[in-house]
Amino acid sequence: MSKPCGGRFRVAPTCIAAAGVCAVAMPFFSLRPNRIVSGSPVFLAVAAPVAAAFLALLWVGFAVAASRPGRRGPIVACLLSLSVVAAVVVTAGGLGDRLVGSSAIARLGLGSGFWLTGTIAYVAYVVAAREAGLGPLFGAAGAAALVVLAVGFFAFGRLDRLSVVREWSVQRSVFAAEAGRHASLAGWAVLSGGVLGGAIGAASTRLKALRSTAFFLLNVVQTIPSLALFGFMILPLAALAERFPVVREWGIGGIGPAPALIALTLYAMLPIARNTCTALEGVPRAVLDAGRGMGMGKAELFLRVELPLAAPVAFAGVRIAVVQTVGNVAVAALIGAGGFGVFIFQGLGQFAMDMVLLGTLPVIAMALAADALLGALIFVSTPKPLRVVESRGGSRDQV
Amino acid sequence: MIRFEGVSRKFGEVLAVDGLDLEVFDRELCVLVGPSGSGKSTVLRMVNRLVEPSEGLVFVDGREVGSLKVETLRLGIGYVIQGVGLFPHLTVAANVAVVPELLGWPKGRIARRVGDMLELVGLDPGRYGRRFPFELSGGEAQRVGVARALASDPPILLMDEPFSAVDPVNRLRLQTEFLAIQRTLRKTVVFVTHDVDEAIRLADRVAVLKSGRLIQYDVPETLLERPNSPFIADFVGADRALKRLSRFTVRDWMQPTAGTTDAAIAVDLDASLRDALSTMLGSRARTIRVHDRDHRPAGEIGLQDIERAAECGTR
């Protein structure tokens, strides 16, 4: 059935692959004698020509596979983009051993080529997965595979010479503690934001007055930069702790996790409240009328009809809130709430970019992982007819 | 039995229903018909208290509806609405099971009942039970709506323009099937429509409303023969002789002498005399064949049979 057509290569995958090849040519790593000195660039084509050629080949393969009609090509392209990341991890391990050797403080910094390749590989994966019409389950599986690979390499000490890992091995115990703080702060903020935002969203479908006021205030909160909002919390909470010593005993003060939690909750409320409200109002009137007319009471109508119909959209709001909160927690380190932000700001202060990375990378990883996990959870728990089917990539680029 | 006593309903300044006195008799199909804005839907919705009257009383089985707990009242009344209002997140079977579940029936009984109901409306439970509403055609969804309303075997059925969103061919089929169901179940039905043909075809008794007032309430034959006002005469239309024919089926007036006519033109056993006449006129034949659902010959019907029916007052 297949007939030769003009558009052999499609524009989007080809551009992505070209960018990927270019990234290979950029300084991939930097060899640094210690944590402060910026070091000398390492070009993959020089230091590891085989790896460079292999990466370029993977990208060409991606362009070809993703341009193929049907589903199989894009699925292969998905796997190829994952392989790019895997190849980069493997290369980093090998080069670290070879270039750094046994020096105790020398390290392999990550260069622009590395970052670009990672980013482009992610974009390539998303584009190919959408083209193949793969659901969020596949996205979560891909993310999990990469995590397993990276953690495996890391656990076997293959990545020990990377600057970030060096930094981590120094900060090991602090890192674990801050990771816990980051996760729990984000978790509690989304939980309380979810309860409050969900309640406000549900109530504002019934009370028009509450609706305009609540959404006005939440929108205003959302426009305040996170740093400023954390700052706003300091004065009133400090005054409160001053006035009532009991409050201080609970660990609440102008700085620390309490003001951070309040501010993060306020941020998390808007997307959840807005989506809950939209979702409940999107329940068709005919369906509500039928339910009421058949003899459902208010509670039954809400539990059996409104809630299940609204849940997917409402939980999409939770998903947005989670990603947003995980990022915002990083800023909360400035008011002493802890979390990965501690490394970011310490690193900035010491001009140690590796330490900044030690804070930044896990934030990104946590946000992406939470997003993929929630996406998959929402997909699995949504009844078939309510699933939002992602569009099967755009139209073919035909000449 | 449903009774309205001096019922009015205002929406703001607008009088949607104006001093309505109406009695819907037991086991009859009462069609409320009228132009849009005549208040017919409001009348229907006052039976199950989706709308409360501003004045007057509504009685169901001799009890004033306002005195009953609203959920109890509604659980005893089947409800079918335009656009069906099936729950999109539930399967067909789960949709039909809603009221029995609310009534707390045991699981096995619900499952059996769901199967029976789907069969009653002509849907194979094995094929349709696990489908979701979005996988149904308009006509299928409408059948599920009827099955759902009948699931708990309520004595009363309220139907608010149930077939109006379906294409004409399917609407005719649904009407025929619903009439057959109604002939066996004999529910007390209040049926709202804006389509006079549908009203004439289905009703035991028609109530014509205009701007919230009941203009005439009679059996279809009387409505067609003796309209009590120019409005009714105009509303039922100049083709009322033809409309009467739509109440007779070929089955009741044909000659069961199979195979004597070699005319190629045939009409269905369950078609109305109006359709039969139309077929005759279209094919310039004075006699046409009649066949059953499976296209087996059942007899023939001629122009004189139709004339006989038109002269006769009753069904």
Side-chain angles (χ1 to χ4, degrees):
Chain A
M1 281 289 282
S2 70
K3 53 177 184 182
C5 64
R8 176 89 187 239
F9 286 99
R10 298 179 52 211
V11 175
T14 312
C15 286
I16 290 170
V21 173
C22 289
V24 176
M26 294 175 82
F28 229 75
F29 302 102
S30 64
L31 191 56
R32 300 164 52 182
N34 59 51
R35 75 185 283 206
I36 308 297
V37 181
S38 62
S40 52
V42 175
F43 289 92
L44 215 52
V46 179
V50 178
F54 183 63
L55 274 179
L57 207 62
L58 283 179
W59 281 122
V60 173
F62 172 83
V64 173
S67 297
R68 292 187 69 96
R71 282 191 77 175
R72 205 180 308 161
I75 289 178
V76 170
C78 267
L79 297 175
L80 284 175
S81 57
L82 286 179
S83 315
V84 166
V85 179
V88 168
V89 173
V90 173
T91 310
L95 271 184
D97 278 352
R98 221 171 60 202
L99 296 179
V100 179
S102 55
S103 163
I105 52 167
R107 54 192 61 199
L108 200 62
L110 302 171
S112 47
F114 176 90
W115 296 119
L116 270 178
T117 303
T119 314
I120 296 169
Y122 178 73
V123 173
Y125 179 79
V126 171
V127 167
R130 176 164 297 194
E131 184 63 29
L134 299 168
L137 287 181
F138 199 83
L146 283 186
V147 167
V148 167
L149 179 85
V151 169
F153 258 64
F154 171 76
F156 284 103
R158 298 290 297 157
L159 302 178
D160 280 356
R161 268 95 180 170
L162 287 186
S163 55
V164 184
V165 182
R166 280 261 141 111
E167 207 62 42
W168 168 80
S169 60
V170 178
Q171 308 266 12
R172 205 175 268 215
S173 57
V174 186
F175 184 86
E178 297 302 353
R181 243 169 250 152
H182 199 106
S184 74
L185 202 51
W188 284 111
V190 171
L191 195 68
S192 46
V195 171
L196 291 172
I200 287 175
S204 59
T205 57
R206 269 96 174 156
L207 305 167
K208 296 289 170 231
L210 171 74
R211 179 185 181 148
S212 47
T213 324
F215 280 96
F216 173 72
L217 289 177
L218 288 177
N219 273 314
V220 168
V221 166
Q222 205 71 207
T223 60
I224 304 173
S226 51
L227 189 54
L229 191 60
F230 290 130
F232 283 149
M233 294 291 142
I234 296 177
L235 223 59
L237 282 181
L240 198 72
E242 184 96 355
R243 192 75 179 272
F244 305 100
V246 191
V247 176
R248 203 175 329 160
E249 276 169 39
W250 294 339
I252 294 175
I255 56 168
L261 185 60
I262 294 173
L264 291 169
T265 302
L266 284 175
Y267 277 124
M269 275 162 69
L270 177 67
I272 297 172
R274 193 181 45 206
N275 275 42
T276 308
C277 181
T278 314
L280 287 174
E281 291 195 332
V283 176
R285 296 198 53 158
V287 171
L288 293 179
D289 188 57
R292 218 172 282 136
M294 287 163 72
M296 289 186 179
K298 275 212 173 86
E300 277 155 345
L301 197 65
F302 185 74
L303 289 177
R304 281 166 178 258
V305 181
E306 289 183 275
L307 203 59
L309 284 177
V313 176
F315 275 103
V318 174
R319 191 174 163 193
I320 296 168
V322 167
V323 174
Q324 174 192 293
T325 306
V326 168
N328 274 341
V329 173
V331 185
L334 278 179
I335 54 164
F340 291 126
V342 168
F343 302 113
I344 298 176
F345 294 113
Q346 258 181 41
L348 285 173
Q350 301 174 4
F351 203 65
M353 293 321 283
D354 296 340
M355 199 164 174
V356 175
L357 279 184
L358 183 62
T360 315
L361 285 181
V363 171
I364 297 172
M366 198 183 263
L368 290 181
D371 187 54
L373 191 71
L374 276 173
L377 271 179
I378 292 170
F379 183 78
V380 169
S381 59
T382 303
K384 196 167 77 170
L386 303 182
R387 281 178 191 164
V388 183
V389 181
E390 280 196 28
S391 62
R392 287 279 310 269
S395 56
R396 301 253 136 192
D397 307 307
Q398 269 171 350
V399 184
Chain B
M1 183 238 287
I2 302 165
R3 200 166 74 247
F4 295 84
E5 285 184 5
V7 170
S8 298
R9 169 70 206 200
K10 264 188 183 166
F11 290 112
E13 284 304 297
V14 183
L15 199 54
V17 178
D18 186 2
L20 176 74
D21 291 300
L22 176 71
E23 195 159 333
V24 179
F25 297 102
D26 260 354
R27 297 176 173 271
E28 271 196 8
L29 199 165
C30 163
V31 175
L32 305 176
V33 65
S36 59
S38 57
K40 51 197 191 297
S41 271
T42 308
V43 171
L44 175 119
R45 291 163 75 86
M46 283 193 285
V47 177
N48 64 355
R49 286 181 64 190
L50 284 170
V51 172
E52 304 278 358
S54 310
E55 259 175 66
L57 298 171
V58 182
F59 294 88
V60 168
D61 283 331
R63 294 208 287 181
E64 202 265 305
V65 292
S67 69
L68 299 167
K69 193 164 170 280
V70 70
E71 281 84 22
T72 319
L73 170 76
R74 289 174 185 166
L75 284 171
I77 300 177
Y79 186 46
V80 189
I81 58 172
Q82 184 184 3
V84 201
L86 292 181
F87 300 124
H89 60 301
L90 299 180
T91 59
V92 165
N95 262 290
V96 178
V98 165
V99 174
E101 269 173 15
L102 289 173
L103 292 170
W105 288 16
K107 276 213 158 56
R109 185 173 167 209
I110 294 178
R112 274 197 307 278
R113 184 71 185 168
V114 167
D116 292 348
M117 285 301 103
L118 287 178
E119 263 166 27
L120 179 73
V121 297
L123 297 176
D124 174 16
R127 265 184 70 201
Y128 284 92
R130 307 178 92 184
R131 288 198 193 173
F132 284 100
F134 80 103
E135 296 165 307
L136 303 176
S137 71
E140 287 164 351
Q142 213 50 260
R143 288 187 173 86
V144 176
V146 172
R148 181 171 74 170
L150 290 171
S152 67
D153 201 16
I156 296 172
L157 210 53
L158 304 180
M159 306 180 83
D160 193 351
E161 307 223 11
F163 305 142
S164 60
V166 185
D167 63 272
V169 176
N170 270 307
R171 192 183 315 159
L172 211 63
R173 279 243 302 272
L174 286 168
Q175 287 167 356
T176 310
E177 287 171 18
F178 179 68
L179 266 183
I181 293 173
Q182 170 63 4
R183 277 194 195 116
T184 46
L185 297 184
R186 284 267 150 226
K187 302 285 182 193
T188 307
V189 184
V190 182
F191 189 111
V192 163
T193 182
H194 61 262
D195 177 356
V196 189
D197 290 318
E198 186 169 68
I200 301 292
R201 186 136 191 262
L202 297 180
D204 293 314
R205 222 172 280 268
V206 182
V208 186
L209 292 132
K210 182 195 173 193
S211 352
R213 308 183 68 117
L214 179 64
I215 307 296
Q216 186 166 3
Y217 183 45
D218 265 310
V219 296
E221 286 78 10
T222 314
L223 197 74
L224 292 168
E225 281 162 28
R226 294 190 295 279
N228 71 357
S229 60
F231 168 74
I232 299 284
D234 193 40
F235 191 68
V236 296
D239 61 340
R240 48 186 206 253
L242 283 176
K243 283 200 171 84
R244 275 194 60 210
L245 286 181
S246 74
R247 293 185 56 79
F248 303 108
T249 58
V250 170
R251 185 192 292 276
D252 297 334
W253 296 89
M254 66 167 195
Q255 308 299 328
T257 47
T260 49
T261 313
D262 48 41
I265 309 302
V267 69
D268 199 272
L269 204 56
D270 285 317
S272 70
L273 288 190
R274 185 182 176 166
D275 297 337
L277 179 65
S278 176
T279 309
M280 283 177 203
L281 292 174
S283 63
R284 294 161 192 275
R286 297 189 64 87
T287 305
I288 55 177
R289 283 194 299 123
V290 177
H291 60 59
D292 65 10
R293 268 252 162 107
D294 304 319
H295 293 274
R296 283 187 304 248
E300 59 177 42
I301 188 160
L303 201 55
Q304 70 281 358
D305 297 316
I306 294 177
E307 281 165 355
R308 202 154 48 81
E311 283 156 19
C312 177
T314 55
R315 263 208 249 200

